[in-house]
Amino acid sequence: MVFVASDDALTVPTAVKIVIAGGFGTGKTTMVGSVSEIPPLRTEELLTEAGVHVDDLAGIEGKETTTVALDFGRITISPQIVLYLFGTPGQNRFWFMWDELAHGAIGAVVLVDTRRLDASFPSIDFFEHRRIPFVVAVNCFDGAQAYTVDEVRGALDLDPAIPVVLCDARDRESSKSTLIGLIRHSMSRLEHAAR
Amino acid sequence: MSSREDWWYDEAAGPLVRPYAMVRGRTRPVTRELHLVTQVRAARQTQTADLTSLNVEHRELLEVCRKPLSVAEVAAYLDVPLIVVKVLLSDLIERGDVIVQDVSRISEIPDRDLLQAVLDGVRGI
Ligand SMILES: Nc1nc2c(ncn2[C@@H]2O[C@H](COP(=O)(O)OP(=O)(O)OP(=O)(O)O)[C@@H](O)[C@H]2O)c(=O)[nH]1
Ligand SMILES: [Mg+2]
């Protein structure tokens, strides 16, 4: 086996990430897949039965464990920068996982399905409380949009500074512009904080 | 090299014993800076002689990491839980066979220049 090393063998790119959050079945994995340059990958984190994060294999032999799966995609921005998109696990009980996902993130897209707005409340609370920049993306299931952006904003009781956009998670351009909206929002938050 | 199924998957052992067995029951703490998106790559041309002291899991990991990848990607490609990949990576980092993204740049919130570059990049895809 021969490993071919190139001239830049001692460097690695800078990695950044965006979290795609929202309630169960709101289109998170679909959005990751529609903009990722690779088919979404899946990785598993090990948990004890009590839902505690296993960060050391010490003492877990013989104990019951379960796993939580994460879907993610990748966009190579340049040889120096890679962007990862992580869908949050559907089940809300894995909050520790959300902390790891949100750690150092550019921000989050919170997907909402207007037929089940409440499914996305916990995501919104999570990012609000941690002061992580996020945008709300109303996923247009069934093509028809029953509510206006303002109605959704009102129903979610959102801070006026939080952007709300309509999107179709299956559509690459629509998902792209949702990401662009989030990055711009994060930039303006940064400028605001610097002032 | 044996196929992945031969050694990553053990029907009888199940999902618990399998990862434990894979790291030979070691309980070393994993390198702290290994987050989901932390970039890792094989450090250099590794001579066959050096590889003989590595087990098959480490060798496959080095093979996958010939180009820079995130910890999460390595775990996905090897089809093992993240914790197992973190333990294996910790071994290889200690040996100098894998290099890892500068720790100081990982937990930081991206700065304006980085955000601008990402914005331009996403616009261009
Ligand atoms: N009509 C329509 N269907 C969509 C849209 N986005 C996703 N879907 C469908 O909705 C279903 C759920 O989408 P997923 O992407 O799996 O949702 P998720 O949020 O990842 O789901 P969980 O991970 O199970 O919480 C799938 O059958 C998708 O094909 C959309 O914009 N419009
Ligand atoms: Mg999903």
Side-chain angles (χ1 to χ4, degrees):
Chain A
M1 199 160 18
V2 176
F3 293 92
V4 182
S6 54
D7 289 338
D8 61 345
L10 291 176
T11 68
V12 291
T14 296
V16 290
K17 65 184 163 182
I18 287 174
V19 181
I20 312 294
F24 183 77
T26 48
K28 302 178 294 289
T29 305
T30 303
M31 179 171 277
V32 169
S34 70
V35 285
S36 176
E37 71 197 22
I38 51 169
L41 294 172
R42 167 160 285 218
T43 184
E44 287 184 336
E45 190 87 80
L46 227 51
L47 302 182
T48 66
E49 207 176 15
V52 177
H53 194 188
V54 176
D55 59 3
D56 195 321
L57 291 171
I60 67 156
E61 193 170 27
K63 287 199 189 131
E64 290 293 313
T65 57
T66 176
T67 57
V68 52
L70 292 173
D71 293 321
F72 63 100
R74 166 185 175 120
I75 298 173
T76 306
I77 301 287
S78 71
Q80 291 80 36
I81 305 171
V82 192
L83 169 64
Y84 292 94
L85 305 165
F86 279 88
T88 54
Q91 309 92 318
N92 285 332
R93 63 193 181 98
F94 300 126
W95 287 115
F96 76 88
M97 203 64 239
W98 287 59
D99 281 322
E100 161 116 38
L101 288 173
H103 180 76
I106 289 176
V109 171
V110 176
L111 282 165
V112 302
D113 175 348
T114 51
R115 299 166 300 184
R116 301 177 293 117
L117 275 184
D118 57 323
S120 296
F121 287 165
S123 303
I124 291 171
D125 285 346
F126 178 91
F127 296 111
E128 267 178 356
H129 284 133
R130 284 165 182 75
R131 310 190 58 74
I132 293 161
F134 70 96
V135 299
V136 169
V138 181
N139 200 5
C140 303
F141 284 90
D142 306 326
Q145 195 47 56
Y147 304 92
T148 65
V149 159
D150 284 340
E151 282 169 334
V152 172
R153 180 188 293 287
L156 293 173
D157 193 22
L158 284 177
D159 181 309
I162 305 296
V164 179
V165 298
L166 301 178
C167 79
D168 182 334
R170 298 163 302 176
D171 182 73
R172 181 175 163 87
E173 287 306 314
S174 175
S175 298
K176 233 177 88 171
S177 67
T178 303
L179 294 182
I180 289 167
L182 169 66
I183 301 163
R184 289 171 55 95
H185 177 59
S186 298
M187 290 175 81
S188 72
R189 280 271 305 258
L190 203 65
E191 268 155 42
H192 194 74
R195 247 177 245 143
Chain B
M1 188 179 283
S2 62
S3 82
R4 181 170 304 160
E5 289 71 24
D6 291 344
W7 51 275
W8 286 128
Y9 188 70
D10 180 344
E11 197 90 46
L16 166 67
V17 179
R18 185 170 57 103
Y20 188 79
M22 231 183 278
V23 295
R24 306 286 183 258
R26 283 166 310 115
T27 58
R28 63 171 296 156
V30 300
T31 308
R32 281 297 148 209
E33 67 257 34
L34 295 176
H35 296 285
L36 285 168
V37 300
T38 305
Q39 300 287 297
V40 293
R41 79 185 288 181
R44 64 181 101 84
Q45 202 157 342
T46 305
Q47 301 304 322
T48 314
D50 300 334
L51 290 174
T52 55
S53 64
L54 291 172
N55 61 38
V56 67
E57 294 86 348
H58 290 115
R59 274 184 267 159
E60 178 147 326
L61 193 151
L62 282 176
E63 177 101 357
V64 165
C65 289
R66 278 189 287 183
K67 59 176 189 201
L69 288 176
S70 63
V71 172
E73 282 167 300
V74 176
Y77 290 134
L78 295 180
D79 196 19
V80 295
L82 279 162
I83 180 64
V84 171
V85 151
K86 288 180 184 178
V87 171
L88 296 173
L89 278 170
S90 298
D91 293 341
L92 292 166
I93 290 165
E94 196 175 276
R95 282 174 51 107
D97 287 332
V98 161
I99 57 168
V100 63
Q101 184 179 1
D102 182 1
V103 201
S104 62
R105 292 167 71 183
I106 292 163
S107 53
E108 273 173 26
I109 309 260
D111 65 17
R112 201 188 176 288
D113 290 346
L114 184 51
L115 287 175
Q116 185 65 55
V118 174
L119 181 63
D120 295 342
V122 172
R123 278 186 174 134
I125 64 171

